[in-house]
Amino acid sequence: MIVATATLIFLTLVFAPIYLKANVTFVASDMSAQVSIGVGFVKVFDERVSLRGRFLHCEGTVESNLDVRSIDGKSGIALLGCLTVDKLCVTLYNNFASFACLPALNAILATATATAINLFHCQLYSEVLGTLGKSRMQIRALINLSVVGLSFCLLKQGVKKWKTRKSEK
């Protein structure tokens, strides 16, 4: 009976989804982004990334400068396959100086949201708001992943790298 209970608890923890709250704010005039990711009330990742010449300057959880030309998208582990987006909210904050274009932006964003809702299976929200500060775009997302999905994704990537190394020999 104890073994069955322990097995059920283990399986529940392995298959239960882990919800991540992501918040990304882009400021086009500064060429910067503020990225924060949390699990529940605990902030796991908080980073400010800005473009300075050919370098991405990172401040926060990871302190580094990355050369944009040296980034290779095929060398990393593709973990995006194990993430599921449940909710996505896009907010455009537009400066009041360009107030005339707010209705047009609202119409364009409403059309894009309606199209995306038909393509994807998640809750989407969009809005255009006026602000006195800098114009910016904010994206809030609720993402879930499970330990099994993450493990399967890492295993699949490991097998793919093992096959490429084996074929090179």
Side-chain angles (χ1 to χ4, degrees):
M1 188 67 165
I2 294 173
V3 173
T5 304
T7 304
L8 287 175
I9 290 173
F10 175 74
L11 289 175
T12 301
L13 292 175
V14 167
F15 287 106
I18 300 169
Y19 287 98
L20 305 171
K21 294 178 185 176
N23 189 8
V24 181
T25 304
F26 298 106
V27 180
S29 61
D30 295 344
M31 295 294 289
S32 65
Q34 179 72 32
V35 180
S36 63
I37 299 173
V39 177
F41 294 109
V42 178
K43 193 176 281 190
V44 178
F45 184 78
D46 190 21
E47 193 73 29
R48 179 174 165 74
V49 180
S50 58
L51 184 63
R52 294 183 183 169
R54 66 176 195 180
F55 292 99
L56 286 175
H57 180 69
C58 302
E59 301 170 353
T61 307
V62 179
E63 300 278 342
S64 68
N65 288 324
L66 297 171
D67 190 357
V68 176
R69 294 181 296 179
S70 68
I71 296 174
D72 183 17
K74 296 180 181 177
S75 66
I77 299 173
L79 294 177
L80 292 179
C82 65
L83 300 177
T84 305
V85 178
D86 288 336
K87 293 182 184 177
L88 185 68
C89 179
V90 178
T91 306
L92 293 176
Y93 292 95
N94 214 0
N95 195 333
F96 278 117
S98 60
F99 189 73
C101 69
L102 283 179
L105 278 175
N106 246 339
I108 291 169
L109 200 55
T111 305
T113 303
T115 305
I117 286 172
N118 290 329
L119 295 175
F120 304 111
H121 299 288
C122 71
Q123 296 177 5
L124 290 168
Y125 308 97
S126 64
E127 59 189 353
V128 178
L129 300 174
T131 184
L132 294 174
K134 294 180 181 179
S135 296
R136 63 189 185 277
M137 180 173 69
Q138 184 175 15
I139 299 172
R140 293 178 304 277
L142 181 64
I143 303 166
N144 74 42
L145 65 99
S146 66
V147 175
V148 169
L150 183 63
S151 301
F152 181 71
C153 187
L154 290 172
L155 181 69
K156 188 170 120 179
Q157 191 74 22
V159 168
K160 186 192 304 183
K161 287 193 182 248
W162 177 72
K163 285 184 179 180
T164 57
R165 286 185 185 152
K166 190 175 180 182
S167 66
E168 288 174 358
K169 289 182 180 180

